Amino acid sequence: MKKTLAIMMLTVLATGCASTGKNASSKNSVARHAQLRDNLVVTTELKKQLKQWKGTPYRLGGDSLNGIDCSAFVQRTFNDKFDIALPRTTLAQTSQGIKIPKENLKPGDLVFFKTNWRGGSGLHVGIYNGNNQFIHASTSRGVMTSSLDEKYWKQRFYQARRLQTPAVT
């Protein structure tokens, strides 16, 4: 009887610990998602990501420091910095979050362009990081910062999207 009671108590304790770990992990994930609401945190994290990846060459289908394309760079940035999973392709990323006017951009928003580039979908994506700047994997210069005011990007701007973040409880 004592042995059965001891086994039951150990099982309850083990289950309780496992459950707490999962909840803590879940809460941590929600907290990282919520960082997107803080412009200072977002710009700081984007600067860190840019520092790590700057100059990485563009490679269609690439997903590493040896070469990366625009949608993989965006996907990796959101996964690495904010624990947010995004689809792999630019086209699929155009349906994430909510569409917002260009005038309402804030750091962390996705910016899309119609480039008509023959090597890909004709779409390009970057991450807005404030002051009319965005970071992206450029086909010509690799991972870099560009301005929305540059003639090339201004003429090709397609849409902006803001990812939804869960409330922190």
Side-chain angles (χ1 to χ4, degrees), residues 73-143:
F73 177 69
V74 168
Q75 182 188 47
R76 288 201 59 155
T77 298
F78 278 89
N79 185 57
D80 295 351
K81 298 299 178 182
F82 307 106
D83 202 25
I84 293 175
L86 289 177
R88 174 62 181 84
T89 68
T90 306
L91 182 61
Q93 290 173 2
T94 63
S95 64
Q96 299 299 295
I98 58 168
K99 192 173 181 178
I100 58 167
K102 187 177 181 182
E103 302 76 41
N104 293 349
L105 282 169
K106 57 183 244 192
D109 290 339
L110 303 180
V111 287
F112 295 91
F113 306 87
K114 286 189 175 182
T115 62
N116 297 322
W117 183 58
R118 294 184 186 171
S121 67
L123 293 172
H124 184 71
V125 63
I127 307 166
Y128 186 74
N129 64 339
N131 298 320
N132 259 3
Q133 305 285 309
F134 65 101
I135 62 173
H136 62 118
S138 159
T139 57
S140 60
R141 295 179 32 206
V143 176

Side-chain angles (χ1 to χ4, degrees), residues 21-34:
K22 186 176 179 186
N23 288 341
S25 174
S26 178
K27 284 182 182 177
N28 184 39
S29 181
V30 169
R32 288 186 69 202
H33 280 69

